[in-house]
Amino acid sequence: MTTVEPPGANEPLDELDFRLLAGVRELWEDADPMPATLVEQIRFAIRLEDVDLEVMRIRDLEQVAGARSAAEQGRLITFDSESLTIMVNVSPEAGSTIRLDGWLTPPAEHPIEVRTATGPLTTTSDAEGRFAVCGVPHGMVQVLVRTVGRSRTVSTPAIEL
Amino acid sequence: MNVAKTDHARVATLFDAAREGDRAALDELVSLLTPLLWQVARDQGLDAEHAADVVQTTWLRLLGSFAEIRSPVALTGWLITVTKREAWRTGEKRQIERPLPELPERLSEASPAPEEGVLREDQRVRLWRAVDNLPERCRSLLRIVAFVHRPDYAEVGARLGMPRGSIGPTRGRCLARLREQLLANGEGDWL
């Protein structure tokens, strides 16, 4: 699309321009506000000793929209990265905690760390790639797989369970 | 004139500290730059949940890439590029033609803090209408540029793939169009 430049396009920015940009920001903040918990969630996720991470992407199999915090019903979440897939089944336990049953593909024995709001819970996957962690508190949860034989730690994003 | 809320000098200080491994500095960078990345992800047409995931993933990826990033301006550019790439990789169906969201009533209107915003109510309505009348690419550019500080303008325009409409030392096509609308019809009560 070739159009004539609107008047003033080549003039330097002035005070009105900065006011307009500040106004545009204010309007977008009102019209499309960032979730209030997003910054806290990111801070939780990046508070890691590992910096060389393989970051997994969420591929939800069930209950895609609006069910992120519905651990009550039990749900299956799948995470993918270049080298690994993790399926995690989330189910409620008595005592208002949750249980995670995970399955790594390709299957292998790896140290697993489940980061929670109250501290890490650790286990190891078995030769079939299966692992289970009980007593996980509700709130932010992030799964790390410290893959044996490789330097990079595989991490899921933090999710609210 | 320093209207933008993201303080570039502060980002520069935090950038150096965070690269050295200062976690408090990194946390503050997250507070300062996540609002920008949220708008980038949403402008890619993602729903709120996917946008939040994408922004978080971008920050996690930064942990391993910090050493390659040379300057605070490059950091802003890197974060925008990775957010866009991650948004694209989600493979979510994205709306191509997106109407501008409705402008909500300002929540603080009833509270005793009328000085909080930079706009009066009539200015809000007129500015939003002017934004609505812009071509889509200009609307996107201004949406993102409005969340960065001046030294980042040129970099941001390049990262968004539209250097020609961009804002830099000069106003650029998109901002000139916005001004043109607001100053037309004797509606120029902006100063």
Side-chain angles (χ1 to χ4, degrees):
Chain A
M1 188 174 64
T2 53
T3 48
V4 180
E5 293 290 334
N10 294 318
E11 287 169 22
L13 292 162
D14 65 17
E15 190 179 330
L16 176 56
D17 293 312
F18 291 112
R19 276 171 46 77
L20 289 176
L21 286 171
V24 168
R25 174 173 178 147
E26 191 175 298
L27 293 178
W28 277 112
E29 283 172 340
D30 287 349
D32 195 353
M34 180 173 81
T37 57
L38 183 59
V39 164
E40 244 352 276
Q41 190 175 359
I42 291 166
R43 285 177 170 180
F44 174 88
I46 65 175
R47 209 170 294 137
L48 295 173
E49 281 164 33
D50 318 70
V51 292
D52 192 14
L53 293 175
E54 184 172 315
V55 184
M56 310 195 84
R57 297 189 176 84
I58 298 174
R59 178 160 57 83
D60 252 337
L61 288 189
E62 295 172 10
Q63 299 166 296
V64 178
R68 181 59 50 92
S69 60
E72 295 77 19
Q73 277 84 46
R75 57 196 288 254
L76 189 62
I77 309 168
T78 305
F79 302 96
D80 275 329
S81 73
E82 290 75 15
S83 71
L84 201 65
T85 297
I86 313 180
M87 293 171 73
V88 180
N89 189 61
V90 182
S91 49
E93 292 177 317
S96 77
T97 54
I98 48 183
R99 172 189 167 103
L100 305 183
D101 288 279
W103 181 24
L104 308 182
T105 314
E109 293 177 36
H110 294 303
I112 309 278
E113 179 180 326
V114 176
R115 298 183 67 225
T116 76
T118 55
L121 301 165
T122 55
T123 185
T124 306
S125 55
D126 66 19
E128 295 181 324
R130 294 185 183 277
F131 65 91
V133 179
C134 302
V136 178
H138 283 277
M140 227 64 96
V141 173
Q142 182 178 23
V143 179
L144 305 180
V145 184
R146 305 198 192 276
T147 45
V148 172
R150 297 174 60 238
S151 61
R152 297 185 94 189
T153 293
V154 182
S155 173
T156 72
I159 56 171
E160 180 86 26
L161 291 178
Chain B
M1 182 77 195
N2 183 10
V3 178
K5 291 178 191 169
T6 304
D7 182 343
H8 189 77
R10 183 72 187 142
V11 170
T13 306
L14 294 168
F15 172 80
D16 289 334
R19 280 185 91 204
E20 300 295 317
D22 180 336
R23 287 309 172 103
L26 185 59
D27 274 0
E28 199 179 332
L29 277 180
V30 169
S31 308
L32 288 176
L33 296 175
T34 294
L36 161 68
L37 302 183
W38 171 256
Q39 298 294 332
V40 172
R42 292 285 286 163
D43 189 60
Q44 294 292 305
L46 296 183
D47 65 29
E49 197 170 333
H50 284 99
D53 288 341
V54 157
V55 173
Q56 186 194 154
T57 298
T58 298
W59 283 107
L60 278 167
R61 289 196 187 287
L62 176 70
L63 296 181
S65 299
F66 228 144
E68 305 157 20
I69 299 170
R70 299 283 169 221
S71 68
V73 171
L75 173 66
T76 307
W78 188 95
L79 289 168
I80 289 172
T81 299
V82 173
T83 302
K84 284 185 68 180
R85 193 180 68 204
E86 290 295 325
W88 180 75
R89 281 192 181 166
T90 60
E92 284 303 303
K93 287 202 196 86
R94 286 177 276 152
Q95 295 170 272
I96 306 300
E97 290 284 326
R98 278 168 295 139
L100 203 63
E102 206 140 303
L103 188 61
E105 294 293 314
R106 181 186 282 165
L107 296 175
S108 60
E109 206 68 57
S111 73
E115 298 301 316
E116 207 167 288
V118 298
L119 300 175
R120 297 191 312 266
E121 187 54 35
D122 64 314
Q123 289 180 319
R124 278 164 55 86
V125 174
R126 279 157 48 202
L127 180 54
W128 201 234
R129 200 190 306 138
V131 168
D132 197 18
N133 285 333
L134 289 172
E136 173 108 20
R137 280 168 65 81
C138 275
R139 198 195 294 166
S140 289
L141 177 78
L142 292 184
R143 177 178 188 175
I144 306 308
V145 166
F147 281 79
V148 302
H149 200 252
R150 185 172 185 174
D152 292 346
Y153 289 169
E155 173 85 8
V156 167
R159 297 290 183 144
L160 294 174
M162 48 181 309
R164 287 206 61 206
S166 277
I167 301 164
T170 59
R171 192 168 290 144
R173 179 185 295 170
C174 295
L175 194 51
R177 283 214 170 119
L178 187 68
R179 264 174 90 109
E180 194 178 22
Q181 288 190 57
L182 290 164
L183 298 176
N185 310 323
E187 279 196 288
D189 179 25
W190 281 91
L191 293 170

